[in-house]
Amino acid sequence: MPRDVPDIVIGRLPLYLRALKRMEQDGIEITSSHELGRHLGISSAQIRKDLSHFGEFGKQGTGYNISYLREQIARILQVDRGWKVIVVGTGNLGRALAQYRGFQPRGYHITALFDNDPEIVGQRIGDFEVFPPEKIADVVRGEDIKIAMIAVPASEAQGVTDQLVEAGVCAILNYAPINLAVPEHVHVQYIDPVIHLQHMTYYLR
Amino acid sequence: MPRDVPDIVIGRLPLYLRALKRMEQDGIEITSSHELGRHLGISSAQIRKDLSHFGEFGKQGTGYNISYLREQIARILQVDRGWKVIVVGTGNLGRALAQYRGFQPRGYHITALFDNDPEIVGQRIGDFEVFPPEKIADVVRGEDIKIAMIAVPASEAQGVTDQLVEAGVCAILNYAPINLAVPEHVHVQYIDPVIHLQHMTYYLR
């Protein structure tokens, strides 16, 4: 893989992937950076520049073969294989994540749930048994887990993060409304619905 | 407001706002496009260019006054006032949204919940009574609601969207894993955790 691709470029690749999958499902075989850009609200020049970090994916004037480009982006993102994921926190949000059907078809397999409430530990939620936090290290190491989703209250999120990182997790999707401190090799993404609401509120004139 | 600011620029303003608020909470008074860029992983040139769409917010060499810039961005985004929001769907995710404490302090006030399950309609979830979908139009018009969050199954999301748009909603935060068809004046943002997982998966080498 090329080094030093800006993170903001990497962040756009999943959007390209999703748009290409949709086009493929619609039976379209060839697209252009203009058409892809129109779908995504991104300039065609930006799309060509983003993709140029990774090679040549289309010929001038003939456009992109959609299934080829989709496969290549999936390979670049490493989502052409399966990944095991754990969920920490089984409140309403954790339960929603455990039962969300959008993960499995895209290669993310929830493997275990954790909660620190003794009344919830040992229960089953959907297909999963809930484990206590003391089991995090065992499960992460035993199952070679790299990815975790955090759905605990803000006050507990940093403690959980420290445990996850110590056990070997290096990618965290954080739903708690707090910024997490992590070592440099650990990646964190934040789900913050207010950011999306604010984006749309601009247009409410 | 200036016309024709690219949507991708608008989408970065909430990130600037969040970073500026954090700096302010940390007692910092002045920042630069370089420092702000470092926090956000965006180039300083991009930040200056983004802000230049809306005016002059700092002097060359002296940096930005954080509280002034924060106020100006809040004004541009129209988040310097309160907005009422409704939630459709009261499964695990809808319940989590209804109880999420991050909306109110940032000016988004959940006003009503809706569900089509007769057993849930009339119940209270947190501070809210659950109304049937037939009440959407009344509530949206009566309370002058512009913003809705959709947390229903994918199969129901388009029908709910049509009802919301018909009633006058023009900003939708969609958690259902499906693309929504809406008229041009309606804005939709998607919360898709897989996009964030894929972004991080790139780095798991």
Side-chain angles (χ1 to χ4, degrees), chain B residues 1-175:
Chain B
M1 277 299 114
R3 281 165 175 270
D4 296 332
V5 179
D7 182 63
I8 202 154
V9 174
I10 307 300
R12 281 192 288 264
L13 296 182
L15 304 178
Y16 298 167
L17 191 62
R18 188 172 61 184
L20 291 165
K21 273 195 186 159
R22 267 191 212 132
M23 289 176 173
E24 217 177 2
Q25 282 164 358
D26 291 345
I28 308 171
E29 289 176 11
I30 303 287
T31 190
S32 62
S33 52
H34 285 277
E35 190 181 36
L36 197 52
R38 208 157 19 79
H39 274 278
L40 289 164
I42 297 174
S43 79
S44 58
Q46 183 73 68
I47 291 176
R48 287 193 300 272
K49 195 173 166 214
D50 285 357
L51 295 178
S52 73
H53 286 285
F54 304 98
E56 281 284 339
F57 299 107
K59 280 185 202 148
Q60 189 73 37
T62 62
Y64 300 111
N65 176 303
I66 289 176
S67 81
Y68 176 74
L69 184 56
R70 180 187 56 68
E71 280 167 23
Q72 294 306 308
I73 294 178
R75 184 183 54 77
I76 292 164
L77 286 170
Q78 302 195 101
V79 298
D80 53 353
R81 48 160 284 193
W83 293 91
K84 295 177 184 173
V85 182
I86 59 173
V87 177
V88 187
T90 62
N92 288 313
L93 180 60
R95 281 161 201 262
L97 291 172
Q99 287 161 28
Y100 179 63
R101 295 179 186 194
F103 292 127
Q104 183 91 10
R106 295 198 269 172
Y108 295 94
H109 306 287
I110 293 180
T111 303
L113 310 181
F114 297 89
D115 203 289
N116 64 2
D117 181 341
E119 300 215 352
I120 293 174
V121 167
Q123 282 187 17
R124 295 193 74 81
I125 294 177
D127 299 334
F128 312 100
E129 187 186 331
V130 180
F131 295 106
E134 301 84 60
K135 292 273 184 195
I136 286 177
D138 280 357
V139 173
V140 165
R141 285 176 194 141
E143 302 266 355
D144 194 28
I145 306 272
K146 299 289 178 211
I147 307 172
M149 297 195 270
I150 294 185
V152 302
S155 59
E156 298 172 21
Q158 185 63 54
V160 164
T161 299
D162 295 345
Q163 266 188 289
L164 291 168
V165 169
E166 168 79 23
V169 164
C170 43
I172 294 174
L173 187 59
N174 179 31
Y175 282 83

Side-chain angles (χ1 to χ4, degrees), chain A residues 69-107:
Chain A
L69 183 56
R70 181 187 55 68
E71 279 166 22
Q72 294 307 307
I73 294 179
R75 184 184 53 78
I76 292 165
L77 286 170
Q78 301 195 104
V79 298
D80 52 351
R81 48 161 282 193
W83 293 91
K84 295 179 186 173
V85 181
I86 59 172
V87 177
V88 187
T90 63
N92 287 313
L93 180 60
R95 281 160 200 262
L97 291 172
Q99 286 161 29
Y100 180 62
R101 294 180 186 194
F103 292 128
Q104 184 90 9
R106 295 198 270 173

